[in-house]
Amino acid sequence: LTATIANPTAWVAAGASASWIVTLSATLDAAPATGVPITWTTSNPALTLTPAQNSTTTAGAASVSINGLNLAAVTTTVTGCVWTTVCATWTLTSVDPSQWRITATSGANQSIPTTAQLTPVTLLVTDTAAHPLPGAAVTLYQSIHA
């Protein structure tokens, strides 16, 4: 009996609201476990799990929709259990702004004639370990020099 989650970790900017779909795969004797009930739980009441219970498909998989609102800077888990005791865990880390690193991936330091339009600026927000942080709120300032 096994239960696995393919992408068991995710990161998000603290204070963000975000959604994910997490899929658990269950196998029995190395074959997909069909119709097995799954119970989903979370360690964080700021996350909503829909549905809280479901069953595996003929492919042995079941998904849960996870919605988080204004997530605090904590590590949270979502666990899916089949056969009551065989579980797989998805871990979400909400990263505090003090750990954010912002880089311009394109469009920085533009020099254009007055009749031209600026190109878009693309920013990437990561944590200190270079994990992308969806939902990071940034403020962009522009300087104009003659």
Side-chain angles (χ1 to χ4, degrees):
L1 307 174
T2 62
T4 57
I5 293 175
N7 296 308
T9 55
W11 292 264
V12 67
S17 296
S19 298
W20 300 266
I21 294 179
V22 171
T23 302
L24 179 144
S25 296
T27 58
L28 172 63
D29 295 329
T34 302
V36 178
I38 298 179
T39 301
W40 298 96
T41 58
T42 181
S43 64
N44 188 341
L47 295 181
T48 302
L49 308 179
T50 307
Q53 294 182 331
N54 56 3
S55 297
T56 58
T57 64
T58 56
S63 297
V64 65
S65 176
I66 303 168
N67 294 298
L69 298 175
N70 196 23
L71 297 166
V74 296
T75 297
T76 299
T77 59
V78 171
T79 302
C81 293
V82 292
W83 301 290
T84 309
T85 58
V86 180
C87 302
T89 300
W90 180 78
T91 303
L92 174 65
T93 302
S94 300
V95 181
D96 186 77
S98 66
Q99 302 296 310
W100 297 0
R101 303 297 179 258
I102 302 172
T103 55
T105 58
S106 67
N109 301 320
Q110 299 178 42
S111 179
I112 62 169
T114 58
T115 57
Q117 288 189 353
L118 293 168
T119 59
V121 176
T122 303
L123 303 175
L124 175 63
V125 180
T126 61
D127 64 8
T128 56
H131 300 117
L133 298 176
V138 297
T139 302
L140 184 63
Y141 296 95
Q142 177 181 354
S143 295
I144 299 174
H145 303 279

